[in-house]
Amino acid sequence: MRIIAKKTLREFWECHADAEQALKAWYYDVKYADWKSPVDIRKTYATASILANNRVVFNIRGNNYRLVVAINYDFGIVYIRFVGTHQEYDQIDAEYI
């Protein structure tokens, strides 16, 4: 999968150092994945929340942080839409961000 934009993850882990290794592991897993549907995501990330508008929410670092992505399955692209704490996540609409 092609991931856009790693910079968002890097900026986040610069402020939240405890998330760095978990985000790097997620990035590595997704980079080498070949997701064609939400079912493929569930094979690797059983706790991922599949939302409308091709959005997926991942729990990062033992559910301390949330990562929201939009996926274009046809082109194999994962767009990072949001990464933040639970409190920050509660302030957004993950289906439309």
Side-chain angles (χ1 to χ4, degrees):
M1 303 296 288
R2 183 173 170 215
I3 304 166
I4 301 174
K6 185 177 182 181
K7 178 183 177 187
T8 304
L9 298 179
R10 190 177 323 108
E11 289 173 350
F12 186 78
W13 77 54
E14 286 173 356
C15 295
H16 303 274
D18 61 328
E20 181 175 3
Q21 290 305 315
L23 288 170
K24 284 182 175 179
W26 177 89
Y27 184 88
Y28 180 84
D29 288 346
V30 175
K31 182 177 179 180
Y32 294 103
D34 184 26
W35 294 336
K36 300 294 184 196
S37 73
V39 172
D40 295 332
I41 297 169
R42 288 292 183 127
K43 290 177 184 175
T44 305
Y45 292 98
T47 61
S49 298
I50 310 299
L51 306 178
N53 296 323
N54 291 325
R55 299 299 199 268
V56 181
V57 180
F58 295 93
N59 298 318
I60 301 297
R61 201 184 160 271
N63 205 20
N64 289 331
Y65 303 105
R66 294 280 175 98
L67 172 63
V68 179
V69 301
I71 301 177
N72 184 318
Y73 296 100
D74 293 334
F75 292 101
I77 300 174
V78 175
Y79 301 93
I80 296 171
R81 306 299 299 160
F82 170 85
V83 60
T85 65
H86 274 273
Q87 185 178 27
E88 293 166 336
Y89 175 80
D90 290 341
Q91 303 300 313
I92 65 164
D93 185 347
E95 292 182 2
Y96 295 101
I97 192 166

